[in-house]
Each structure stands twice: as structure tokens, then as C-alpha cells.
Amino acid sequence: MKKLMILGASYSQLPLYKTAKKLGIATVAVSTPGDWPCFDIADECSYTDISDPEAVLKSAREYSIDGITTCCLDAGIRSIGYVCERMGVKGLSAQSGSLCGDKYYMKEAFIKGGVSCVKHICIHNREELEAALDQLEFPVILKAVDLMGSRGLFRCETREEAFARYPDTMAATNRDYCLVEEFIQGKMLGCEAMISNGKILFCLPNNIENYESYVPTPIGHSVPYDKQDTLGSEVKRQLELAVQALGMDNCPVNCDMMEKDGKIYVIEITGRAGGNCLPEMVSLYYDIDYYEAMVRLAMDMNAERLFEKKSPCTANLSHILTSDRSGILKQIHNDNEMTDNIVDLSFNVESGEEIRKYENGRDRIGQVILKGKNLDDCRRNLADVLSKINIEFIS
């Protein structure tokens, strides 16, 4: 039986394990020890730090894997490239994985590759921060280069705020440097794609709904893209430039962008499918199983055929459920009746658990995925669904 190594064992990776099993492929779950749900479903488990390429390679050789993949998290991207190159399995190159795993080197590659991106400066200490602030316009973003889910990111309106937040960014990162870059006050959007043997199998721009905090955090995605007719081709062009700049191939692609005054800027890109229900968005839009496409791509099993017919294209919307306060959960009251348009309405917290006021992706309490005849229909349905959910805390 062929064997697929999957980096990560949380609920976000569960669909990959289930899909591999349906395709008759054995799975190896890789994560540090913990009460992770995928350990129960995997055929074999490796208790390994997925951010350590050498450790993951050692494990991959021990288990004699035939492919390696992940979704919804960045920590293992460098390891995937490292393993693919050294074991000759299909996937990212080691260099591409390394560039995806560090936002500073990614941005440097963007500049060399002619990708439209914001002005940024790498800093190692407060003196370099002070010099950088003399060259940038406010507001600025302090950004950890190796994290995801808006961790280690802080929007700063003044020099004083930048100096106050700098220790927080450095405490979060595993590097001895971070980025400070100009903040573009525009409209965020995303783009999901997949590349196989140098061919982009699909390119799907999407609208992003942000949770407004010290830095905007995505909590929702929807398709079709509101400006597809006017900016869709430029989104695809910038995606292609970014892919070429990083030498990406044989991988899913998740890209964050910003639109301002009709210009598209690439914020970052990585060689895995996005989180926050983005795989489900792709699946619904193209009427396929995108998790199957990921498994097939990693196992060199002709993922291309799933995208030969990319219609019908279904409008859909996903939204991460959040709490506006912290506390111990007593009960979630959900008065919604399931309809054909509600693809998923689920919660990942239980009574008695501590939940936190939302700040980043780790604070989610559930999700809703809706489909409809058009995007306006989906948005109206979302407002109705949310109005029927109430969170009760223990006093």
C-alpha cells in the first residue's frame, strides 16, 4: 500500500487523512505529542517537530513514504520541500520551501522577480528599527517572518507604538530578525491555486472578510471575487509572477494580496492550501473534492483530471465563528435549522472550556459554510445564521 506522510494532526488536517483512506492510501501523521484528533485516524504516527526539516526527513525515510503534504498551516513547508527534494517525491523544491517559510527572503525574491509588493526593511534590533522608521511612511506593520495566523503582527500608527510592539514581535518569532513594512490601506483579497508540472490547474481569487483588530485578520472568504471582471486577470498575473519568483511547482498555492486604487500587491504566498475553509471553498466552487486533489498531487496520481471540467461554478461563503469576550463556556445556543444552503455549521468548543475573545485564528469557536445562487444571497443567509447563534458563559 502506498504511504502518504501528512504534516500536522489537528482538525484542520482531518479531511486529508480521511480522503487518503478513501483512495486506499496509508497515512503517517507527523506532529509533536498531544491530544491531536488525526493520531486516532492515521495508520502510523511520528512524534516529530514538523518545523525541523532534518527530523522530518529522518522520519520520512524510516516510514518509507511515497508522498508528503499538509494543509492550513505553514510550519512544515520548509520540511516538505526538504523531503521532496531529497527523497525524489513530488512536491516543492527545498529552495522554494525555504523561501515560502521566511517572509523576508520571500519579499526579496518578489523584488527580483518583478512582483508588486510593499516596501519592507529587515531589522535585528531597536537601532535598525529606528533607522527603518525614518525610511517608511506610517502606518507600518511589524511582522514575524516565520509565523501564521496573524501571530507576531502588529499595526503601528506612531514611532512610539512601533517601539512598544517590537519586543512582542521578537518574543513570538524563532528568528533573530523581523520585518517592518508599510501598511497599505486597501482591500484584502486572496487567491487559491494549484500547480502541477509547471501548469497552473486553477486560479481562484476570493474576497476576504477581516476581523478588525490591531492588524486585520481574515475570518471569512467568498467567491466569486467581487472585481473578477476588472482585476481578475491582474490577480492571476501577479500570482504567476510570485510563483515564478519563488520557483514553486507541484503544490497547492495560498496567496494573500491587497488591492488599492486598482493596483494589486502581493503580501505573501505559500505552497499549501489555505485555512479558514478555503479548501471547502474551492471544492464547492468547482464541484470537486479539493482534498482529493491535494492527495493526488502529492502522490503523483494525476490531480489534473479533477480540473478538466471546472463548471458549474457555485457561489459560496465561509465565516469563522468568534466570541467578543473571554470566559468559560456554558452553552452555545444554535437555533438554525439546517437547509440545503448551509453546507456546514459546526463548533470546535464544548461546555466547560475556556474560550478567548478573538484575536487570531487560534481563538475560533466554529465555522459556517454557505452556498447560494449568488454571493449576495450567501451574504444575506450569513446574517440570518449568525443572528440565531448565542454564546452563554458561566457567571
Side-chain angles (χ1 to χ4, degrees):
M1 181 180 288
K2 294 288 187 178
K3 194 177 293 186
L4 175 65
M5 174 171 276
I6 300 175
L7 303 191
S10 74
Y11 65 88
S12 296
Q13 289 79 51
L14 265 174
L16 278 178
Y17 291 86
K18 293 178 179 179
T19 301
K21 281 187 175 295
K22 286 194 296 185
L23 294 173
I25 299 167
T27 56
V28 180
V30 185
S31 181
T32 50
D35 186 23
W36 303 113
C38 296
F39 285 154
D40 294 330
I41 193 174
D43 295 283
E44 297 175 286
C45 300
S46 172
Y47 302 108
T48 302
D49 180 358
I50 66 172
S51 68
D52 185 338
E54 283 289 354
V56 174
L57 175 62
K58 179 181 178 182
S59 179
R61 285 172 169 161
E62 288 175 354
Y63 286 96
S64 301
I65 67 164
D66 301 287
I68 182 170
T69 191
T70 190
C71 67
C72 308
L73 82 169
D74 285 334
I77 296 298
R78 290 175 59 246
S79 297
I80 287 178
Y82 196 75
V83 169
C84 287
E85 187 163 301
R86 281 157 179 77
M87 292 189 68
V89 297
K90 191 167 186 175
L92 282 168
S93 68
Q95 182 179 16
S96 294
S98 181
L99 290 172
C100 287
D102 190 299
K103 294 178 177 65
Y104 168 61
Y105 292 107
M106 178 191 300
K107 293 290 180 73
E108 292 295 290
F110 284 172
I111 291 174
K112 292 178 182 178
V115 181
S116 175
C117 62
V118 299
K119 186 175 181 181
H120 65 278
I121 298 174
C122 181
I123 58 171
H124 297 77
N125 50 54
R126 294 176 67 89
E127 289 74 21
E128 290 182 358
L129 171 60
E130 185 169 11
L133 294 177
D134 290 335
Q135 304 174 54
L136 301 173
E137 294 185 8
F138 283 93
V140 299
I141 293 284
L142 284 170
K143 180 179 290 188
V145 300
D146 58 335
L147 301 177
M148 61 177 289
S150 300
R151 289 178 291 135
L153 269 68
F154 299 97
R155 174 178 169 172
C156 305
E157 302 288 343
T158 64
R159 297 179 72 93
E160 291 75 19
E161 191 173 2
F163 281 108
R165 284 298 193 180
Y166 173 68
D168 297 328
T169 295
M170 295 308 296
T173 184
N174 294 309
R175 305 286 197 270
D176 65 353
Y177 55 90
C178 70
L179 286 179
V180 56
E181 59 185 40
E182 290 181 352
F183 177 75
I184 300 177
Q185 303 193 58
K187 178 70 173 177
M188 283 190 69
L189 65 139
C191 191
E192 293 296 297
M194 179 174 275
I195 313 169
S196 178
N197 299 320
K199 178 183 177 182
I200 295 181
L201 304 185
F202 78 95
C203 175
L204 184 58
N206 62 85
N207 312 294
I208 293 180
E209 174 196 3
N210 279 322
Y211 180 88
E212 297 299 333
S213 183
Y214 51 83
V215 67
T217 304
I219 59 168
H221 300 269
S222 61
V223 286
Y225 174 43
D226 286 332
K227 297 186 178 181
Q228 180 63 37
D229 291 343
T230 56
L231 291 175
S233 60
E234 177 61 10
V235 170
K236 184 176 182 181
R237 189 178 79 88
Q238 289 297 330
L239 177 92
E240 290 172 342
L241 287 173
V243 163
Q244 293 166 8
L246 271 59
M248 300 170 72
D249 197 4
N250 298 317
C251 63
V253 175
N254 169 252
C255 186
D256 291 332
M257 299 178 172
M258 186 76 74
E259 180 260 322
K260 182 180 181 182
D261 299 330
K263 183 175 181 179
I264 299 295
Y265 298 85
V266 178
I267 305 301
E268 57 191 58
I269 192 169
T270 190
R272 47 89 179 162
N276 290 347
C277 309
L278 283 168
E280 287 76 11
M281 180 194 77
V282 175
S283 297
L284 284 169
Y285 192 75
Y286 292 123
D287 193 25
I288 64 166
D289 183 343
Y290 191 36
Y291 291 104
E292 179 180 344
M294 292 181 228
V295 172
R296 285 186 174 276
L297 183 66
M299 299 299 289
D300 201 9
M301 292 171 56
N302 188 16
E304 294 92 333
R305 70 178 185 83
L306 296 179
F307 295 94
E308 289 173 356
K309 296 181 180 180
K310 293 189 288 190
S311 60
C313 297
T314 304
N316 66 84
L317 173 153
S318 62
H319 178 86
I320 299 305
L321 301 176
T322 65
S323 172
D324 59 4
R325 57 166 287 194
S326 300
I328 304 300
L329 177 65
K330 182 176 181 179
Q331 187 177 358
I332 294 178
H333 300 276
N334 174 25
D335 296 325
N336 287 282
E337 294 184 5
M338 297 301 290
T339 66
D340 290 340
N341 287 334
I342 300 179
V343 179
D344 181 38
L345 176 54
S346 56
F347 304 91
N348 57 274
V349 292
E350 297 180 356
S351 298
E353 288 187 22
E354 180 181 3
I355 60 176
R356 296 183 298 272
K357 178 180 178 180
Y358 189 85
E359 290 188 356
N360 59 55
R362 290 182 170 183
D363 301 329
R364 57 182 288 164
I365 63 172
Q367 64 187 35
V368 58
I369 304 174
L370 305 172
K371 64 179 181 179
K373 58 186 179 182
N374 55 51
L375 202 45
D376 286 339
D377 187 41
C378 293
R379 287 165 174 159
R380 284 191 295 269
N381 288 339
L382 176 63
D384 182 61
V385 168
L386 295 180
S387 72
K388 297 176 181 176
I389 298 173
N390 181 51
I391 304 170
E392 183 181 359
F393 291 90
I394 296 175
S395 300

